[in-house]
Amino acid sequence: MAVVGRILRVSTTFRRTVERLGVRAGSPAYRAVSATVRALASADVPGFGDYETSFSPGRAYVRRVVGHNLWILYRFDDVHVLIMTARGEPPVPADT
């Protein structure tokens, strides 16, 4: 069953890592990150191209920010999408 319109939760860690990666408010990268986060809340997840990676505790899904070398790690359930952190390089896919 497709679930659309999950409640978005963004961690303070995510905000800090985005800043640390040099993404500044108003920049093209910032707009791309914002668009990716909105897409995660409004679309079926995981999406095409998303994959799992190890992220303590357990695993998280990864989505690349289109046009940038930025990667968003997230978890989800039937109601929420939790945006956890960002990376400046692709995380290693988890063993299947």
Side-chain angles (χ1 to χ4, degrees), residues 5-65:
R6 288 182 172 87
I7 297 168
L8 183 64
R9 294 172 46 206
V10 179
S11 73
T12 55
T13 301
F14 176 74
R15 290 183 180 108
R16 283 193 304 263
T17 57
V18 167
E19 288 175 7
R20 218 175 297 139
L21 291 168
V23 177
R24 301 292 175 238
S27 69
Y30 185 87
R31 289 190 295 276
V33 167
S34 295
T36 302
V37 167
R38 285 191 309 274
L40 285 168
S42 64
D44 285 339
V45 287
F48 179 77
D50 294 357
Y51 61 90
E52 279 188 294
T53 190
S54 295
F55 191 83
S56 185
R59 293 182 178 196
Y61 284 92
V62 178
R63 179 168 294 185
R64 182 175 182 257
V65 176

Side-chain angles (χ1 to χ4, degrees), residues 48-95:
F48 179 77
D50 294 357
Y51 61 90
E52 279 188 294
T53 190
S54 295
F55 191 83
S56 185
R59 293 182 178 196
Y61 284 92
V62 178
R63 179 168 294 185
R64 182 175 182 257
V65 176
V66 175
H68 299 273
N69 194 25
L70 298 168
W71 304 81
I72 296 175
L73 280 73
Y74 69 95
R75 290 186 178 137
F76 67 94
D77 60 25
D78 289 340
V79 177
H80 299 94
V81 172
L82 172 61
I83 308 299
M84 299 184 316
T85 193
R87 299 280 192 257
E89 59 186 56
V92 176
D95 293 336

